[in-house]
Amino acid sequence: MLKGKSLVAGEWIGSDRNFFNEPVSGTADEFSQGTPELVDRACEAAEQAFWKFGYSSRADRASFLREIAKQIELRGPDLTEMGMKETGLPEARLEGERGRTVAQMRLFADHIEAGDYLDRRHDVALPDRAPLPRPDLRLMQRPIGPVAVFGASNFPLAFSTAGGDTASALAAGCPVVVKGHPAHPGIADIIAQAFDAAIKSTGVHPGVFSQVLDGGRIVGETLVQHPLICAVGFTGSPAGGRALFDLAAARPSPIPFYGELGSTNPVFVLPNALAHRAEEIATSWVASLTLGAGQFCTNPSVCVVVDGKGADQFVAALAKALADAAPQTMLTDSITRAYQAGVDQWKTMPDVKALHASDNLQRAAGPNAFSVSASDWLSNTGLQDEVFGPAGLVVRAKDMSEAVEMARALEGQLTCTLQMDEDDIEAAAQLMPILERKAGRILANGFPTGVEVCDSMVHGGPYPASTNFGATSVGTLSIRRFLRPVCFQNMPGELLPDDIKHD
């Protein structure tokens, strides 16, 4: 059963204001609106918890993460049922995402037990060094304190209450205060119950996790500005993320804001690949473009082709594949409206040609594709704006020089992709140094939807893909966001953290 309230340091607390979810079908559920007072209470509890949790053993934190995973699995059927109701996502997708969510909890448990993330360094004392002796110096990574996490609309499990931001922060030793996403408060409620059970089972301080539900903005704005919050993890729209980023920077004591905001994830189809595999690449692009109604941050919404053999064949195959693609339910009414507005804007641009057009049917979105020349794309910065949904833009370059010029003009991206054959190596070599500066992940002969959770993954990139190009929100490297290096000089062993006493 739903609690319908915020979970603050082990207590389920309501308020005198309520909001409702927006189910695809069935009766809406009622939830208590969070307040600034609840945010303050959650942050105070997180700070209190940090003095124990931040200095707990890696083994204890690993056990806590594994217990969270176990408690989420126990609620699997309820999560799937609520997820289908609130988001319209199919059963298989939700079950797969739940598997990813618990797997990354366990991955971080394994990661901190191994200890490599601590980056321990030791320069032994050199008392006889001339002209000056060297002191004993030891360095390791330490947790920063309470972290604010914002749930994402498009991944109600893997990027939300129990998502990678929460998992990596807890693994680091940082208590978490989550701003529950209004698109799926029911899922957030059930996940919070799993955390509550895990806290009670392991005896962890209840302030280690709180979730404040919010049907608007007040909770998020209050959370980012709270003086006890030391960093923020966010996945969402460029407008919302930039507003919160500015609030974090404007604080008397600014804090890092790790925001993933927007990306068009361009695919460059090089000449020989286009000549030999035009239909195959077009069909595969459509499959990636329309996957999950295009509601992935890695959705490859821009495809660059160099005019020549295969270009017209590519466009024809693209239009045919899109004509066969059925409308899909989108996550929320507001996302559906925003998608339609983005498509309508493309339709009004004089240099943009429709290849396949369809309209939304209430919350169901149909796929769309448009074509524009590279020269017109270069002169219209609005074509770099993300349209969140199953809409693609084919940019036709007259030659490789123009494709390279377009690559140079790209904003920061989560991903860039090269579709290439063996004879395209020289052309690809022209693009690689540029794409390295534009994206966090570069692919060859694949499509970026589907982000592996592992040690080597980078899910981030230069702005506006993310607000911190040196960080990732997926993979074990994401723990670095919630740690900072501390050097201990000539420190007696009795005062050193246990993890650095022996090397």
Side-chain angles (χ1 to χ4, degrees):
M1 293 180 62
L2 294 177
K3 300 288 188 179
K5 299 177 181 180
S6 296
L7 175 64
V8 178
E11 295 184 52
W12 295 94
I13 306 174
S15 70
D16 57 1
R17 292 179 54 205
N18 296 319
F19 69 99
F20 294 84
N21 58 6
E22 298 177 354
V24 175
S25 60
T27 305
D29 301 296
E30 187 175 6
F31 300 88
S32 182
Q33 169 67 42
T35 65
E37 292 75 21
L38 286 181
V39 172
D40 184 61
R41 187 167 170 175
C43 293
E44 290 282 356
E47 176 68 12
Q48 292 173 17
F50 178 69
W51 296 109
K52 182 176 180 180
F53 189 69
Y55 299 87
S56 61
S57 71
R58 290 179 281 129
D60 285 347
R61 294 201 304 279
S63 295
F64 179 49
L65 292 171
R66 293 186 177 111
E67 183 64 20
I68 294 168
K70 173 186 170 183
Q71 293 295 334
I72 291 173
E73 286 180 327
L74 290 173
R75 291 159 177 79
D78 292 338
L79 286 167
T80 299
E81 181 181 356
M82 181 57 67
M84 293 171 68
K85 175 180 177 178
E86 287 189 318
T87 69
L89 293 172
E91 180 179 0
R93 156 69 192 273
L94 287 162
E95 291 183 348
E97 190 180 329
R98 186 177 73 248
R100 170 178 169 169
T101 303
V102 299
Q104 64 192 6
M105 284 284 178
R106 290 170 175 142
L107 174 66
F108 274 106
D110 295 341
H111 185 62
I112 60 175
E113 283 183 333
D116 294 344
Y117 79 99
L118 294 168
D119 193 18
R120 289 171 284 201
R121 306 179 186 202
H122 185 196
D123 289 298
V124 298
L126 298 175
D128 300 325
R129 189 183 68 175
L132 294 172
R134 184 176 75 188
D136 184 85
L137 298 167
R138 297 171 188 252
L139 176 149
M140 68 178 295
Q141 300 289 336
R142 300 297 285 158
I144 60 173
V147 169
V149 171
F150 284 69
S153 62
N154 59 335
F155 280 87
L157 294 169
F159 270 85
S160 210
T161 300
D165 289 344
T166 297
S168 56
L170 292 175
C174 298
V176 169
V177 180
V178 174
K179 188 262 191 191
H181 201 286
H184 47 258
I187 296 175
D189 185 308
I190 297 170
I191 291 290
Q193 293 182 46
F195 274 89
D196 192 29
I199 287 169
K200 288 180 170 63
S201 173
T202 58
V204 169
H205 190 296
V208 162
F209 174 87
S210 292
Q211 176 174 258
V212 183
L213 299 178
D214 189 12
R217 297 181 178 179
I218 186 64
V219 166
E221 293 173 354
T222 305
L223 188 54
V224 168
Q225 296 177 92
H226 198 283
L228 293 177
I229 291 297
C230 298
V232 180
F234 173 90
T235 299
S237 70
R242 184 54 195 256
L244 293 172
F245 172 84
D246 290 343
L247 287 177
R251 289 171 35 142
S253 177
I255 58 173
F257 182 90
Y258 297 106
E260 181 201 307
L261 307 186
S263 183
T264 59
N265 306 294
V267 177
F268 289 81
V269 185
L270 301 186
N272 286 287
L274 186 63
H276 299 140
R277 298 187 287 118
E279 289 189 14
E280 174 196 334
I281 295 171
T283 303
S284 298
W285 181 44
V286 168
S288 182
L289 183 71
T290 59
L291 183 68
Q295 299 169 116
F296 290 93
C297 41
T298 53
N299 184 34
S301 58
V302 172
C303 199
V304 185
V305 299
V306 178
D307 274 331
K309 186 178 180 182
D312 291 339
Q313 186 181 2
F314 175 89
V315 169
L318 163 69
K320 182 180 183 303
L322 285 172
D324 295 335
Q328 299 178 69
T329 301
M330 300 199 83
L331 293 161
T332 68
D333 293 334
S334 60
I335 288 175
T336 310
R337 290 192 296 269
Y339 170 66
Q340 188 65 59
V343 169
D344 289 343
Q345 185 175 13
W346 279 356
K347 289 178 179 178
T348 62
M349 294 179 179
D351 300 316
V352 177
K353 175 186 175 183
L355 300 176
H356 177 83
S358 59
D359 293 319
N360 295 339
L361 181 62
Q362 296 181 335
R363 198 155 147 179
N368 289 269
F370 299 82
S371 177
V372 67
S373 69
S375 60
D376 287 329
W377 183 92
L378 286 164
S379 64
N380 186 350
T381 57
L383 288 171
Q384 292 217 43
D385 294 341
E386 179 186 28
V387 176
F388 192 65
L393 183 67
V394 178
V395 182
R396 298 184 67 153
K398 62 184 179 183
D399 51 31
M400 273 303 301
S401 295
E402 197 168 49
V404 169
E405 184 181 0
M406 183 183 163
R408 292 185 185 278
L410 284 171
E411 295 180 331
Q413 305 291 330
L414 293 172
T415 73
C416 288
T417 299
L418 296 171
Q419 286 289 338
M420 55 182 290
D421 283 356
E422 201 171 305
D423 292 336
D424 288 313
I425 290 292
E426 185 176 338
Q430 298 178 56
L431 290 168
M432 279 298 292
I434 304 168
L435 300 187
E436 275 191 32
R437 298 184 66 185
K438 299 294 182 178
R441 177 164 58 114
I442 307 170
L443 299 81
N445 292 332
F447 289 92
T449 41
V451 181
E452 188 70 26
V453 183
C454 61
D455 293 331
S456 306
M457 179 52 62
V458 173
H459 191 65
Y463 187 86
S466 59
T467 57
N468 189 311
F469 58 76
T472 175
S473 61
V474 177
T476 55
L477 188 64
S478 64
I479 197 174
R480 294 285 185 92
R481 297 172 298 167
F482 308 124
L483 299 164
R484 65 182 182 87
V486 176
C487 176
F488 302 91
Q489 181 170 326
N490 286 337
M491 193 61 58
E494 296 84 353
L495 298 179
L496 287 169
D498 288 342
D499 283 326
I500 204 171
K501 285 182 179 179
H502 308 287
D503 50 29

